[in-house]
Amino acid sequence: MGLLTPSASAERISRWRWIWILPRLAFILFVGGVALLLWMSDRADKEERRATLISDILWLEQNLRFHLARNEELLGRIDLAHTTSAKAFESFSRTLFGFESGLRQLIWLDADGQILRAHPAITDLGIADDTMEASPSRQSFRLAKSLGKPVYSPAYPFFNNDWQFEVHVPVSREGRVVGVAVGVYRIREILGDSVPWWLAERYRISIVGDSGKVLGTRSKIESAVTEEGYQVDFDPPGWGLTIHAVPYHAPRPLASVLLSASLVILAMVVLWSLWILRRHVLRRQTVEEQLQREHAFRKAMEDSLDTGMRARSLDGEIIYVNPAFCRMVGWSAAELIGRRPPMPYWADDHLDETRAIHDQVLAGDGPGEGFELKFKRRSGEIIDVLIHEAPLIDAQGRHSGWMGSMVDITERKHADERARQQQDRLQSTARLVAMGEMASSIAHELNQPLAAISSYCTGAANLLRNQTPAAEVLPAMDKAVEQAHRAGKVIRRIYSLARPGEHPFERVHLAEHVDAALALMDSEIRQKGIRILLELSPQAVVDGDPVLLEQVLFNLLRNAIESMSDTASDQRQIAIALTCADDYASLTVADRGCGIDASVAMQLFDPLFTTKPEGMGMGLAICRSVVENHRGRLSFEANPEGGTIFHVLLPLAPQ
Ligand code: ADP
């Protein structure tokens, strides 16, 4: 994954914007759907109420018509006996009034319109009065008589804003009109009688005249009406009368209110949760982007490394390799990840060693200071690598595996090897040259005295063979002795030449020379994987020849290294300690090598004594003579941990 460029992040943002449109749309649809549902339910409610209203009003109209029609019929079939006496008429009237049809007065007229009977009593309707031509009673009477059918008068005010109308029913006997029965209906009473309580509770019911004037109203509740009402014509029998009903405002059912409220609350909860979700997602998105940027940065860093990185799980499975590691071994990350030992890059000739160190690392006992191994490239080429393993700690602080860093040291190793071989060659050449020089100088120096001794001895032998007296032979023998002395002197001189002490002594800081000697052996020490433990006191200063003293350190160090050739690689260790005590500087070189047998110990310091096939046997002899020449002492003892400890004791330089 690469670093996020500004255009890539802008693209991501616009993609997110699109993603947010969907929930918003869903929310709008949800709210719209809920509103539509509520509106539809409200409309269905209203329609249902209206249907109920219509059927109620139609029922009321039918009921009224039925009452009026029945009264018409009863009036038309009036028994004339009922009109004979006021008492009979009153009782007949009461019977009719008892039907609760709004009929409140009954009048019996003769054929001329004169009132014969009336209950409650009334004196005149003005029907027979010619001056009252326009009176509704007179017109209705006339019409009824002429048609021979019941006729209703228009409504007219009666008293105190009360309205009434009449029905004139002509009564015929044997084809002749004998009289007209007039029933008077009070509009308020009609409503009172015919409108049942349950209807009055639901609606305000009015009877409205043709001019739109309200002639009577029945309502139980005096509260405001809201919705539009419904009206049916009541004509005939009424003259231009209309029944008008307006429903009271009915409270909406609790369930519907609860449903609406819960839908609104639900919509708000959805909106709120959407908002929370959006905030959360935006926050997450920011963190994710930061994380990606961080990850990309780290990845770029890892990819640019030259050091191979390889992570393994606790059971040894490869879980990560970086490009440098892949380049180093020649296998791709896809081929390596998930692999378990033996790995394809383990060198065939070092399988056991590699597996051992692999197991050691997994067990947590890997060498802390790193270790060298041989790996095999895919091409078959063998490379040397220096590996450092460290525990892999995850985000929870748990140890989840091992992370190894690898450096290809093949080139360096080759260079070291070449340098070592060069040094060996130089050393052996130097040794040969020195030996040759010494041999030739000894040969040259000894040639003369030896030749002289040889000739004196030959002369003396000849004299003795010829029976020459001893006194004459003696001078030749003396000469030979003299030449032998001379040869001895030559040897001593050569010896003294080889001995130090010819050069003036100087202040020698032994610690520095230990370091210098170590530096000379550095490549060999590293090659053999030897651990060096140092404890150097800077106060160890002596008077001496620095070159020779360094030679002593060098020889002791080289012997220590060579003694450990058969020691296991993890046991190879040399401890060098330089301390001061009792006016002496003490230097110990302790190895973990083969140790020194009693038979070897006897001749250890003898010149030319060696147990090595290519040894010269001069090292320790020179060391001892150099040390003694510095008024010091060289000794050795067995190392309790295995191997040998050499001690050098040198007097400290006066302060
Ligand atoms: P060279 O090293 O050439 O053999 P030296 O005089 O330095 O000559 O050593 C003589 C012998 O002493 C060695 O061959 C070896 O057997 C023995 N020796 C010297 N140092 C050690 C040591 N540190 N551990 C075991 N043996 C040693």
Side-chain angles (χ1 to χ4, degrees):
M1 188 189 313
L3 280 166
L4 271 185
T5 60
S7 72
S9 83
E11 194 182 300
R12 278 173 59 87
I13 288 169
S14 74
R15 200 169 65 220
W16 276 104
R17 213 170 273 151
W18 274 107
I19 285 173
W20 279 115
I21 284 183
L22 197 66
R24 279 183 195 160
L25 202 70
F27 177 74
I28 291 169
L29 284 178
F30 172 74
V31 170
V34 166
L36 187 71
L37 202 74
L38 289 176
W39 177 77
M40 279 170 66
S41 124
D42 193 52
R43 213 176 66 152
D45 241 29
K46 271 188 186 155
E47 270 170 14
E48 195 185 315
R49 280 207 300 277
R50 189 158 181 79
T52 315
L53 164 72
I54 291 170
S55 77
D56 284 350
I57 296 307
L58 288 177
W59 175 86
L60 179 65
E61 186 225 16
Q62 289 301 319
N63 194 27
L64 282 174
R65 276 183 196 285
F66 167 75
H67 281 301
L68 296 181
R70 191 192 54 196
N71 286 348
E72 265 174 39
E73 203 183 321
L74 289 174
L75 288 174
R77 286 197 278 122
I78 188 170
D79 191 345
L80 292 180
H82 289 140
T83 62
T84 49
S85 73
K87 203 159 175 113
F89 189 76
E90 189 186 329
S91 110
F92 174 68
S93 303
R94 281 189 194 282
T95 314
L96 276 187
F97 297 166
F99 291 132
E100 292 187 346
S101 55
L103 202 59
R104 283 295 174 266
Q105 193 169 35
L106 201 61
I107 304 164
W108 175 245
L109 303 174
D110 64 10
D112 298 326
Q114 293 294 337
I115 296 173
L116 299 180
R117 298 271 176 247
H119 178 78
I122 187 174
T123 46
D124 190 17
L125 267 178
I127 294 172
D129 189 350
D130 289 342
T131 60
M132 303 276 281
E133 193 61 47
S135 112
S137 305
R138 186 182 165 91
Q139 282 181 1
S140 307
F141 172 78
R142 283 225 185 135
L143 198 61
K145 218 176 102 182
S146 64
L147 290 175
K149 282 171 68 179
V151 169
Y152 285 84
S153 77
Y156 57 89
F158 159 65
F159 175 71
N160 205 10
N161 227 3
D162 217 355
W163 289 68
Q164 64 183 25
F165 65 87
E166 298 157 9
V167 59
H168 293 246
V169 184
V171 180
S172 308
R173 292 292 179 267
E174 293 152 9
R176 196 172 57 83
V177 176
V178 290
V180 174
V182 178
V184 180
Y185 290 97
R186 302 261 160 76
I187 284 182
R188 189 175 290 164
E189 307 298 332
I190 290 177
L191 287 173
D193 286 349
S194 324
V195 178
W197 63 268
W198 52 269
L199 215 57
E201 262 178 12
R202 277 194 218 160
Y203 315 105
R204 190 179 71 188
I205 295 176
S206 329
I207 291 184
V208 180
D210 54 356
S211 59
K213 184 166 176 56
V214 177
L215 308 181
T217 299
R218 166 100 200 250
S219 68
K220 212 159 180 191
I221 302 163
E222 286 307 319
S223 62
V225 285
T226 52
E227 292 170 46
E228 222 176 273
Y230 183 74
Q231 60 183 44
V232 281
D233 286 343
F234 188 44
D235 175 25
W239 271 63
L241 295 186
T242 316
I243 302 176
H244 196 249
V246 183
Y248 293 119
H249 173 70
R252 291 185 67 188
L254 185 66
S256 147
V257 172
L258 280 181
L259 180 74
S260 312
S262 51
L263 284 176
V264 170
I265 291 171
L266 193 69
M268 281 164 68
V269 168
V270 169
L271 186 68
W272 181 71
S273 52
L274 252 177
W275 180 72
I276 297 263
L277 190 74
R278 184 169 185 275
R279 221 174 51 159
H280 176 74
V281 168
L282 284 179
R283 211 178 296 153
R284 250 193 100 95
Q285 195 186 333
T286 320
V287 172
E288 220 173 74
E289 271 169 21
Q290 271 172 2
L291 218 74
Q292 272 171 348
R293 231 172 276 141
E294 180 92 347
H295 178 75
F297 175 67
R298 281 176 189 278
K299 185 101 181 65
M301 250 175 22
E302 273 172 33
D303 291 354
S304 60
L305 280 181
D306 274 342
T307 307
M309 307 285 284
R310 174 213 54 191
R312 288 180 297 172
S313 64
L314 286 173
D315 56 357
E317 182 186 322
I318 296 184
I319 50 177
Y320 167 79
V321 284
N322 75 342
F325 184 82
C326 295
R327 280 197 300 276
M328 215 178 270
V329 296
W331 270 275
S332 71
E335 288 168 313
L336 290 174
I337 289 174
R339 293 291 286 257
R340 288 169 185 280
M343 301 301 177
Y345 51 81
W346 285 7
D348 301 329
D349 296 343
H350 297 78
L351 272 184
D352 292 342
E353 185 194 343
T354 314
R355 182 177 277 284
I357 201 134
H358 168 91
D359 293 343
Q360 218 176 314
V361 169
L362 288 192
D365 295 335
E369 68 282 5
F371 53 91
E372 289 180 14
L373 267 185
K374 291 208 181 292
F375 276 180
K376 183 182 70 180
R377 282 192 203 277
R378 192 172 210 160
S379 59
E381 185 192 342
I382 301 294
I383 55 169
D384 289 288
V385 286
L386 176 65
I387 304 177
H388 283 90
E389 293 277 1
L392 189 66
I393 307 297
D394 69 11
Q396 280 77 44
R398 280 187 312 237
H399 178 200
S400 61
W402 295 95
M403 174 58 96
S405 66
M406 261 138 266
V407 184
D408 185 348
I409 54 164
T410 318
E411 265 314 302
R412 202 175 81 195
K413 292 272 284 188
H414 285 171
D416 282 355
E417 182 62 20
R418 279 196 296 274
R420 197 185 61 76
Q421 285 171 1
Q422 181 78 3
Q423 199 188 7
D424 279 1
R425 268 199 299 278
L426 277 175
Q427 266 184 7
S428 62
T429 316
R431 233 182 271 161
L432 283 174
V433 169
M435 288 275 285
E437 267 181 11
M438 200 159 84
S440 68
S441 113
I442 292 170
H444 180 75
E445 293 288 333
L446 290 183
N447 203 23
Q448 258 189 307
L450 284 178
I453 290 170
S454 166
S455 68
Y456 285 131
C457 286
T458 310
N462 286 337
L463 287 177
L464 286 175
R465 235 178 258 121
N466 296 332
Q467 305 296 317
T468 312
E472 287 177 34
V473 179
L474 210 57
M477 291 308 291
D478 286 340
K479 293 270 187 204
V481 170
E482 192 184 319
Q483 286 305 314
H485 280 299
R486 197 178 148 211
K489 263 192 205 156
V490 167
I491 298 274
R492 266 197 302 281
R493 224 181 71 219
I494 290 170
Y495 182 60
S496 75
L497 269 179
R499 277 165 61 119
E502 293 297 307
H503 308 285
F505 278 8
E506 55 185 83
R507 287 281 149 105
V508 179
H509 289 80
L510 285 176
E512 289 171 12
H513 293 278
V514 173
D515 286 339
L518 278 171
L520 282 173
M521 302 299 288
D522 182 54
S523 90
E524 200 167 344
I525 289 170
R526 274 202 286 112
Q527 189 197 13
K528 294 193 170 156
I530 299 170
R531 223 173 10 257
I532 302 288
L533 305 180
L534 280 179
E535 188 199 333
L536 303 178
S537 161
Q539 274 84 46
V541 182
V542 297
D543 282 331
D545 184 329
V547 180
L548 293 175
L549 287 176
E550 191 173 305
Q551 188 66 35
V552 169
L553 293 169
F554 179 81
N555 284 349
L556 293 179
L557 208 55
R558 209 195 51 218
N559 278 345
I561 292 170
E562 285 172 356
S563 75
M564 290 193 291
S565 55
D566 291 333
T567 307
S569 55
D570 59 332
Q571 293 293 314
R572 292 177 187 170
Q573 169 182 311
I574 300 174
I576 304 173
L578 180 60
T579 52
C580 300
D582 301 336
D583 298 335
Y584 277 90
S586 156
L587 174 86
T588 57
V589 179
D591 61 56
R592 297 275 185 89
C594 56
I596 296 173
D597 285 350
S599 57
V600 174
M602 306 267 290
Q603 319 166 61
L604 203 67
F605 295 107
D606 290 357
L608 301 176
F609 171 76
T610 178
T611 57
K612 301 168 192 167
E614 288 168 9
M616 274 191 29
M618 289 300 290
L620 286 179
I622 291 173
C623 282
R624 189 164 70 174
S625 68
V626 170
V627 171
E628 284 176 356
N629 201 38
H630 282 75
R631 293 182 292 115
R633 219 171 58 235
L634 175 66
S635 60
F636 69 93
E637 62 176 319
N639 187 348
E641 293 171 342
T644 315
I645 304 175
F646 275 85
H647 290 274
V648 179
L649 219 55
L650 290 169
L652 284 170
Q655 295 291 317

